[in-house]
Amino acid sequence: MQAKKWEKTDIRYLKGVGPKKAEILQKLDINTVEDLLYYLPRRYEDRSNFTLVKDLKVGEHHAVRGKVLTLGNHATRKGIRVFQIAVGDKTGIIYCVWFNQPFLRKLFKVGQELILYGKVEKYKKLQINHPEYEFVTENNSLNMGRIVPVYSLTQDITQRYIRFLTHEAIARFLSSAKGALPTRIMARAHLVDFCFAIQNIHFPASFANLDRAYRRLVFEEFFILQLALALKKKSAKTKTPGIRHNLDAHLMEAFKKLFSFELTNSQLKAINEIQIDMANPKPMNRLLEGDVGSGKTAIAIYALLLSFKNGYQAALMAPTEILARQHYMTISELLMPLGVNVRLLVSGLKPEKKLEIKKEIDSGEVDIVIGTHALIWENVEFKKLGLIVIDEQHKFGVSQRQLLQKKGWNPDVLLMTATPIPRTLALTVYGDLDISVIKELPGGRCPITTYCIEEENRQKVYQFIKEEIEAGHQAYIVYPRIWSSKNTRASESKLKAATTMYNKLQEEIFPDLKVGLIHGRMDAKEKEAVMKKLKSNKINILVSTTVIEVGIDIPNASVMVIENAERFGLSQLHQMRGRIGRGDYPSYCILMGNPRTESAKRRFFTMSETQDGFKVAAEDLELRGPGEFFGTRQHGGLPELRFGNILKDFDIMEQARAEAFRLVEEDQDLVDPRNSFVKEVLKRRFSGKFDLINVG
């Protein structure tokens, strides 16, 4: 039987699977034998060693072997029917209880020898409620007397059933199956055989074997993913023609004079990496990551200016109109005096204005266009697009970024994010990109002090805001929702709303101050008017939702109060905090809330302990887990990991990555016969799921 056959064999061809069971198994994404064999247990129970009754510990799970001494049904005062048996060994007796299952009476007989497994409780006597059980007469048990797999289940699928199916699949198909890893890579990485791994991941002979099996399967999964990324990166570097930008030795000096501050060493290093990429005839594909306020925009401006100097157009796409307008104001102010024609294209413009700008872009009159999704949805055509900059890139899907790229002839691409990416994630999710990291903040920045404040101190918070405003500064107060609603769940009934609190703050709390309001449902003109007033200090306190998470740069703001802060994620809290601390005086972030869960408490603690975005990101990854982080590229179809965990398996991932990139260096097109099966697996694994690579 060829490998293809076991991979594609429908689950219905296994003994015990009919049409109804097959339909239920589909809910677990089990459609083929391969799906079943790759459906790994979520945990294991050691039922290989039996515990004597005298050694049982209350509150722990144990496997017990003994004989049925007594059995019988009875009813409680509330009418609950109880079936109970007494099981004894040479050291004592334990009772097993099932509720509302009187039919079990027919299965048991006094004197039968059986094995029990479950959590030991004590209600005057030792007892296990609803234990798993098996009669000793059964041979080759999958459920007792061994390390037993425990799977995630769905309706009408039991542990016994899925263990039976998996055992059947292994018995029938595994001997003819093979893994994707070439033999030489397995040898270098000291990995066990594929068949051994599948057998022992489901039915391990020992925990040592389980560890070896797990490492083998995780390595293979990471290897295939990293191989896809390596091929994508190599192809971009060697096969795809791009634009060669000519470097001007005087451009950097002229660029530095645009700013009133000195660029940091991190900024200069990133600029150098970017200009080397842009001078290369192959397309740049670089991710620029740095903390909030680290000066990524200045670096992007250099790239935009370099593209302009070479006679190309450039586009900067941002996820929100507020951020796009912020970039437009900053960039046009700096570059228009140099003769650069900078235009803004967002959905909020009047139709005739959008048409005018699109004509100018098409004719080549516009040198740099800054916009939102309008750049890809508004039928925008470029005359000579040479550079694309995408800010807050994680807010866009891969397909959206590709739509913009297709508007030019393999333009250079610079992705930017203010959410620092832990190295574990960067190598896994962004392994096909070159990465520049800014780790320094501009000089002169004062630290932000973060406080966690409870409701009883609210008046002190309001008084503190007044004192900061009297000192000439401004403040933000952020709420988790726009409007109050009567039709809310009990858990949300205490959430404060921006619109409601805006009126209360203006009329009752700060009647002598100027309070403004901004939220995502306001139209573009209203938002723009509010932002102009805020920038000119005509608003003392801005009441907002998370719409200010990005795109607000008001150096005069020194206070941010985040209401119901336990409702926000860690990265979101850090992003909002980044709206302050942009001046040369101390700033303060105040988290108002009641963190009841351990996760919320950890978020509050992290915010109060560090301002370092890289530490915040690492903690956020720990709290949320890798699954949510993979959402950053799901629009492009990055497949989910079935086995590996990039946090606890990072050492395996690094080794697999090194082998994958080594293989691509040795055999870029995977034409070596020794790599034929890994090529086949790669194509099958990523077919229709991952549009970033093309393996012939």
Side-chain angles (χ1 to χ4, degrees):
M1 183 175 298
Q2 297 300 311
K4 286 184 179 179
K5 191 169 182 180
W6 78 271
E7 291 158 0
K8 296 181 179 180
T9 299
D10 194 293
I11 195 70
R12 287 176 296 181
Y13 289 100
L14 275 181
K15 180 182 177 181
V17 182
K20 289 185 178 179
K21 285 293 186 184
E23 191 175 323
I24 296 171
L25 286 168
Q26 285 179 359
K27 296 178 182 178
L28 299 175
D29 292 323
I30 298 175
N31 299 290
T32 65
V33 169
E34 180 187 35
D35 293 336
L36 178 61
L37 294 184
Y38 280 146
Y39 190 70
L40 301 194
R42 58 186 173 88
R43 62 183 176 87
Y44 300 85
E45 292 176 350
D46 187 359
R47 305 182 187 178
S48 58
N49 297 309
F50 302 122
T51 306
L52 295 173
V53 172
K54 71 178 182 63
D55 296 326
L56 295 176
K57 294 181 179 179
V58 175
E60 295 185 6
H61 286 76
H62 289 283
V64 180
R65 181 167 179 162
K67 289 185 178 181
V68 178
L69 303 178
T70 63
L71 51 86
N73 285 311
H74 67 274
T76 66
R77 293 179 180 178
K78 295 183 179 181
I80 298 174
R81 303 186 72 181
V82 178
F83 173 63
Q84 176 179 284
I85 64 172
V87 176
D89 64 10
K90 60 184 178 182
T91 67
I93 298 174
I94 186 167
Y95 293 85
C96 303
V97 174
W98 290 266
F99 299 100
N100 292 321
Q101 295 186 40
F103 60 87
L104 291 176
R105 173 68 179 79
K106 299 178 181 178
L107 301 180
F108 293 90
K109 297 178 181 178
V110 172
Q112 280 179 320
E113 190 170 4
L114 74 167
I115 299 168
L116 308 165
Y117 183 83
K119 185 178 181 181
V120 177
E121 307 284 0
K122 190 165 186 177
Y123 304 96
K124 297 183 180 179
K125 54 192 177 184
L126 289 179
Q127 179 175 312
I128 301 178
N129 293 330
H130 290 262
E132 287 196 49
Y133 63 89
E134 202 159 86
F135 299 111
V136 172
T137 54
E138 294 184 13
N139 297 320
N140 300 320
S141 173
L142 301 177
N143 306 292
M144 294 291 179
R146 66 187 311 152
I147 299 170
V148 176
V150 179
Y151 301 87
S152 296
L153 302 176
T154 189
Q155 180 185 7
D156 295 328
I157 298 293
T158 65
Q159 293 291 348
R160 283 174 174 262
Y161 178 72
I162 205 161
R163 287 173 198 147
F164 166 78
L165 279 189
T166 305
H167 188 265
E168 279 288 300
I170 288 173
R172 285 186 57 190
F173 295 100
L174 189 59
S175 62
S176 58
K178 63 177 180 178
L181 294 177
T183 304
R184 62 194 185 281
I185 293 177
M186 288 175 55
R188 283 198 296 264
H190 305 291
L191 299 172
V192 297
D193 174 75
F194 176 74
C195 294
F196 177 96
I198 290 292
Q199 174 70 49
N200 281 274
I201 203 71
H202 289 286
F203 302 107
S206 66
F207 282 106
N209 279 5
L210 175 59
D211 290 341
R212 287 192 284 269
Y214 179 81
R215 184 175 183 86
R216 168 62 165 80
L217 294 175
V218 169
F219 186 100
E220 180 170 314
E221 180 173 46
F222 281 142
F223 176 80
I224 295 297
L225 173 60
Q226 291 296 333
L227 186 60
L229 297 173
L231 287 166
K232 165 78 166 74
K233 190 170 186 177
K234 189 71 173 179
S235 176
K237 293 291 184 187
T238 59
K239 293 183 178 180
T240 308
I243 298 167
R244 183 196 291 273
H245 288 82
N246 295 315
L247 302 183
D248 183 345
H250 303 292
L251 183 62
M252 176 58 77
E253 292 307 313
F255 169 71
K256 289 179 179 178
K257 292 177 182 177
L258 294 175
F259 304 98
S260 59
F261 53 85
E262 285 192 19
L263 298 174
T264 65
N265 290 330
S266 282
Q267 286 176 306
L268 292 172
K269 182 175 182 291
I271 286 173
N272 187 53
E273 291 168 342
I274 288 168
Q275 69 176 2
I276 290 173
D277 280 357
M278 293 180 70
N280 193 294
K282 299 303 177 183
M284 174 172 70
N285 198 22
R286 183 169 290 274
L287 173 68
L288 174 63
E289 61 167 312
D291 208 347
V292 179
S294 60
K296 294 180 296 300
T297 303
I299 296 170
I301 290 172
Y302 178 81
L304 296 170
L305 190 57
L306 179 59
S307 187
F308 163 74
K309 286 291 185 180
N310 278 268
Y312 290 97
Q313 294 173 295
L316 190 158
M317 186 165 68
T320 66
E321 284 198 20
I322 290 179
L323 181 53
R325 289 178 183 276
Q326 180 78 50
H327 281 315
Y328 174 71
M329 288 188 288
T330 302
I331 293 170
S332 58
E333 184 179 335
L334 289 171
L335 299 188
M336 278 190 173
L338 302 180
V340 183
N341 185 12
V342 184
R343 299 304 297 264
L344 175 72
L345 182 62
V346 293
S347 298
L349 296 176
K350 291 182 178 179
E352 58 268 25
K353 189 66 175 178
K354 285 194 285 188
L355 183 60
E356 174 192 326
I357 294 170
K358 284 191 284 184
K359 285 181 178 179
E360 291 181 5
I361 296 170
D362 188 26
S363 68
E365 293 177 58
V366 174
D367 301 310
I368 297 172
V369 59
I370 298 166
T372 55
H373 294 78
L375 293 176
I376 52 179
W377 303 135
E378 298 278 357
N379 299 319
V380 179
E381 298 294 334
F382 289 83
K383 184 176 182 180
K384 196 178 181 183
L385 182 62
L387 172 69
I388 293 169
V389 179
I390 301 179
D391 198 8
E392 295 298 318
Q393 62 83 31
H394 58 280
K395 300 287 179 86
F396 296 95
V398 171
S399 58
Q400 292 172 320
R401 300 200 294 261
Q402 288 179 331
L403 282 173
L404 188 54
Q405 285 175 259
K406 290 175 181 177
K407 293 179 181 290
W409 188 74
N410 297 330
D412 287 331
V413 177
L414 178 63
L415 309 175
M416 301 198 300
T417 180
T419 303
I421 303 163
R423 185 163 178 264
T424 50
L425 188 69
L427 292 184
T428 308
V429 186
Y430 299 99
D432 58 315
L433 304 177
D434 294 308
I435 300 177
S436 294
V437 180
I438 312 176
K439 291 191 173 179
E440 300 172 84
L441 292 179
R445 294 282 178 91
C446 289
I448 303 170
T449 305
T450 302
Y451 298 101
C452 305
I453 304 296
E454 295 181 352
E455 184 64 33
E456 58 259 32
N457 292 312
R458 176 172 295 279
Q459 294 307 314
K460 293 181 181 179
V461 172
Y462 289 153
Q463 181 59 37
F464 179 70
I465 292 174
K466 289 179 182 178
E467 291 170 2
E468 283 294 301
I469 292 171
E470 287 170 2
H473 301 148
Q474 293 164 282
Y476 302 103
I477 304 180
V478 183
Y479 295 92
R481 63 197 311 173
I482 299 175
W483 295 293
S484 297
S485 173
K486 294 180 181 179
N487 302 318
T488 57
R489 299 191 301 268
S491 61
E492 297 186 353
S493 60
K494 295 182 180 180
L495 295 185
K496 293 181 172 62
T499 49
T500 306
M501 291 305 298
Y502 162 70
N503 293 319
K504 183 175 181 179
L505 291 168
Q506 180 65 89
E507 296 169 9
E508 301 177 23
I509 312 299
F510 303 110
D512 301 326
L513 300 177
K514 297 167 186 174
V515 182
L517 173 68
I518 193 169
H519 57 74
R521 297 295 180 88
M522 296 167 67
D523 63 38
K525 283 187 177 179
E526 289 178 299
K527 291 177 187 174
E528 187 176 6
V530 171
M531 291 310 301
K532 283 182 178 177
K533 287 182 180 179
L534 184 68
K535 203 167 185 67
S536 60
N537 205 1
K538 292 179 181 178
I539 290 177
N540 304 120
I541 301 169
L542 181 64
V543 174
S544 173
T545 58
T546 56
V547 71
I548 65 156
E549 183 182 345
V550 293
I552 305 289
D553 187 8
I554 309 296
N556 194 46
S558 65
V559 180
M560 171 167 287
V561 177
I562 303 176
E563 296 276 6
N564 299 116
E566 72 278 1
R567 301 293 297 225
F568 299 103
L570 189 49
S571 289
Q572 197 171 31
L573 290 171
H574 182 65
Q575 285 289 314
M576 289 190 287
R577 177 171 62 179
R579 300 308 103 203
I580 58 174
R582 292 169 176 257
D584 55 0
Y585 40 78
S587 295
Y588 308 91
C589 178
I590 299 170
L591 306 180
M592 299 287 296
N594 182 19
R596 294 181 178 178
T597 67
E598 284 303 314
S599 177
K601 290 174 183 176
R602 281 180 65 180
R603 293 198 298 272
F604 274 46
F605 176 78
T606 301
M607 286 289 291
S608 64
E609 285 295 303
T610 184
Q611 252 185 274
D612 186 329
F614 290 88
K615 291 181 180 178
V616 170
E619 176 68 10
D620 199 23
L621 181 57
E622 288 277 357
L623 284 171
R624 293 164 60 194
E628 287 190 44
F629 274 85
F630 275 101
T632 56
R633 290 187 87 173
Q634 279 307 297
H635 292 296
L638 188 75
E640 294 182 9
L641 293 175
R642 293 183 289 188
F643 310 142
N645 180 306
I646 64 171
L647 296 181
K648 71 183 185 69
D649 299 324
F650 185 58
D651 63 321
I652 305 176
M653 195 274 286
E654 282 199 305
Q655 189 179 10
R657 175 181 170 81
E659 288 290 355
F661 276 72
R662 176 177 176 176
L663 180 62
V664 171
E665 284 297 321
E666 296 170 350
D667 182 16
Q668 180 179 333
D669 296 313
L670 302 183
V671 295
D672 187 328
R674 296 178 300 170
N675 300 327
S676 60
F677 190 64
V678 70
K679 182 177 181 178
E680 181 184 322
V681 171
L682 185 71
K683 291 170 68 175
R684 180 167 48 84
R685 190 75 54 85
F686 287 93
S687 175
K689 298 179 181 177
F690 192 34
D691 57 6
L692 297 183
I693 65 165
N694 178 25
V695 227

